[in-house]
Amino acid sequence: MLDIKFIRKDPDAVKEALIKRNSSFDLEGFLSLDKERRRVMAVIEELSAAQNKIDREISYYKELFSIEEDDVITFDTIDLDNDIDQEVT
């Protein structure tokens, strides 16, 4: 089994090795999927950071105004599922 970092770093060597082994593995497709996975992971990390920031701000204002859990009024926040779906497609 090859390390993904090696495959990314030297895809030509991997391609040559696959040819020598008479393998039908789709290296280009694999690298494309890997690139898309890394892009999606970056988007998820950004959205998670945004959510954490909002959570900290909510906590700050709850403490600032002495709001108890029973007194919390619901309000709209970022819908991360929709954001992720939009970024992925």
Side-chain angles (χ1 to χ4, degrees):
M1 185 182 324
L2 297 176
D3 183 29
I4 186 63
K5 292 177 186 176
F6 174 76
I7 296 171
R8 287 182 198 135
K9 181 180 175 184
D10 199 358
D12 292 332
V14 174
K15 191 173 192 175
E16 287 178 27
L18 289 171
I19 290 170
K20 286 180 184 177
R21 291 176 181 249
N22 238 359
S23 177
S24 62
F25 182 74
D26 182 12
L27 181 62
E28 297 301 321
F30 174 79
L31 291 171
S32 175
L33 288 173
D34 179 57
K35 184 177 181 179
E36 179 66 11
R37 178 190 160 278
R38 287 184 286 142
R39 186 190 71 77
V40 169
M41 293 301 292
V43 169
I44 290 171
E45 286 177 16
E46 288 175 16
L47 292 172
S48 179
Q51 183 180 25
N52 290 340
K53 181 181 177 188
I54 290 170
D55 287 344
R56 284 191 302 274
E57 289 175 359
I58 290 170
S59 295
Y60 170 78
Y61 287 111
K62 284 168 77 174
E63 185 176 318
L64 182 66
F65 296 111
S66 300
I67 298 173
E68 299 295 325
E69 286 298 320
D70 295 338
D71 299 331
V72 174
I73 300 171
T74 59
F75 54 91
D76 292 330
T77 59
I78 298 174
D79 186 357
L80 292 178
D81 289 334
N82 287 339
D83 287 351
I84 291 171
D85 289 341
Q86 289 172 0
E87 290 292 332
V88 171
T89 57

